[in-house]
Amino acid sequence: METIRIARVMQDAVLKARGRSIGFVPTMGALHEGHLSLVRTARAENDLVVVSIFVNPLQFGPSEDLQRYPRDLEGDMEKLQALEVDYLFLPEPEGMYPQGFCTFVEVQGLSERLCGAFRPGHFRGVATVVLKLFEIVQPTRAYFGQKDYQQSLIVRRMVEDLNLPLQVVVCPTVREPDGLAMSSRNLYLSPQERRAAPILYKALLKGQEALLRGQRQPHRIRELMHQVLRSEPLVGEVQYASAYDPYTLEEPPVLRGSALLAVAAFIGRTRLIDNLLIDGLK
Ligand code: PAF
């Protein structure tokens, strides 16, 4: 595995790979099994695999966890080496956002809903860095996890709107045995909070059960999911928990076709998100 820190050098390396397919997994590091499953899929589907690790300051709000975001470069490199990644792109913030940087990507509408309503500017930061990374890595396919469903929807929209010549591949959420979706932020949880955290998945399962029983009114599903979340004393603010249209991320009057069950809630000081996509609703 070759580690590259400079955008121009990364661009030259992929230029030399002309004609070979490139699978790209953008990450912020602190890699867990969720990331590794993306890397394995990229490895199986492409000639070359590029992984980036960049804790993107642009997608963190002023009161968010940029400074304390988990970092484990040594461990990450070992894991990527074992999966036979070809290139690790490891830019510095000054390289990605040099003095005078003032160009941003905004995917309007979708970016303001769900997480976007509570993290203003977050998806502008995500879309901007992802477009920059795509320009540098020139991937054939880019891999994202379904856990960040809204992010993957926004990236797909951007790729379509800007005619980017690549395929966005969304891979299933990887869960701990007790159902907790894997996330780098799970590392913040105390042992007691960690035991409480699968409550988000339980709330999603409750929503799923209601949908499968024929419930089609989002406000009823919202009530049930909130009830489950409130049953756990360590749950703090529930930012959203309901059933949404998976294309618009809005609560429709009646659910039809497919539904996105999604939740964002604090366990102690840690904000966690999760979702389930349910198809085939009559
Ligand atoms: O999902 C993430 O880790 C980040 O949002 C991403 C896509 C690497 C952009 O910084």
Side-chain angles (χ1 to χ4, degrees):
M1 181 172 77
E2 188 178 337
T3 300
I4 296 180
R5 292 171 191 271
I6 312 290
R8 187 71 244 168
V9 177
M10 187 72 245
Q11 279 170 325
D12 285 346
V14 294
L15 259 175
K16 283 193 205 117
R18 207 183 279 274
R20 300 211 273 164
S21 61
I22 298 174
F24 175 45
V25 184
T27 81
M28 299 207 297
L31 302 179
H32 50 69
E33 201 42 49
H35 297 112
L36 303 185
S37 73
L38 303 180
V39 177
R40 280 190 206 99
T41 310
R43 181 70 283 167
E45 295 180 351
N46 299 277
D47 299 322
L48 290 175
V49 175
V50 181
V51 175
S52 64
I53 297 181
F54 179 59
V55 183
N56 172 33
L58 217 59
Q59 68 188 75
F60 288 80
S63 61
E64 292 187 345
D65 55 344
L66 173 62
Q67 296 313 325
R68 68 177 192 127
Y69 193 83
R71 288 161 172 88
D72 175 20
L73 185 55
E74 214 174 300
D76 290 349
M77 287 176 80
E78 259 172 46
K79 290 171 188 159
L80 296 176
Q81 199 104 43
L83 294 180
E84 300 182 6
V85 166
D86 297 286
Y87 294 103
L88 169 60
F89 180 48
L90 202 59
E92 301 289 344
E94 306 74 47
M96 290 297 271
Y97 303 118
Q99 195 126 47
F101 182 91
C102 58
T103 305
F104 301 91
V105 181
E106 226 164 298
V107 178
Q108 294 180 341
L110 289 177
S111 296
E112 283 98 58
R113 299 183 193 135
L114 301 184
C115 290
F118 298 91
R119 304 185 69 188
H122 169 67
F123 288 114
R124 178 190 200 240
V126 170
T128 302
V129 80
V130 170
L131 180 60
K132 278 179 69 80
L133 291 167
F134 285 173
E135 290 297 331
I136 295 166
V137 174
Q138 301 283 314
T140 315
R141 300 181 189 86
Y143 295 81
F144 294 84
Q146 199 204 299
K147 203 213 79 183
D148 297 302
Y149 178 89
Q150 184 172 12
Q151 168 172 281
S152 60
L153 194 67
I154 286 169
V155 171
R156 271 191 202 285
R157 186 76 250 172
M158 175 181 79
V159 164
E160 200 176 320
D161 287 355
L162 301 182
N163 304 90
L164 304 181
L166 64 104
Q167 187 191 340
V168 174
V169 182
V170 180
C171 300
T173 303
V174 179
R175 298 183 181 281
E176 301 284 358
D178 60 6
L180 177 65
M182 289 202 185
S183 162
S184 306
R185 290 190 167 98
N186 293 350
L187 292 169
Y188 297 150
L189 300 169
S190 69
Q192 202 192 4
E193 290 168 346
R194 172 62 191 83
R195 283 193 291 278
I199 198 71
L200 272 77
Y201 185 54
K202 287 182 190 146
L204 294 174
L205 291 180
K206 189 64 157 184
Q208 173 174 260
E209 184 191 301
L211 276 171
L212 299 181
R213 269 193 287 105
Q215 181 55 258
R216 294 292 178 267
Q217 294 195 298
H219 77 274
R220 304 294 295 171
I221 293 173
R222 184 182 349 120
E223 278 163 18
L224 289 168
M225 290 175 67
H226 278 254
Q227 248 170 41
V228 173
L229 291 163
R230 274 197 300 270
S231 72
E232 169 50 65
L234 291 185
V235 170
E237 183 193 3
V238 177
Q239 294 191 328
Y240 59 82
S242 190
Y244 304 93
D245 179 316
Y247 303 102
T248 64
L249 305 180
E250 289 174 315
E251 269 188 6
V254 178
L255 295 155
R256 275 187 221 292
S258 55
L260 175 76
L261 295 161
V263 55
F266 280 84
I267 306 284
R269 284 178 58 215
T270 304
R271 181 180 183 276
L272 297 178
I273 60 171
D274 200 356
N275 68 79
L276 284 178
L277 192 56
I278 316 289
D279 287 318
L281 298 180
K282 299 254 165 23

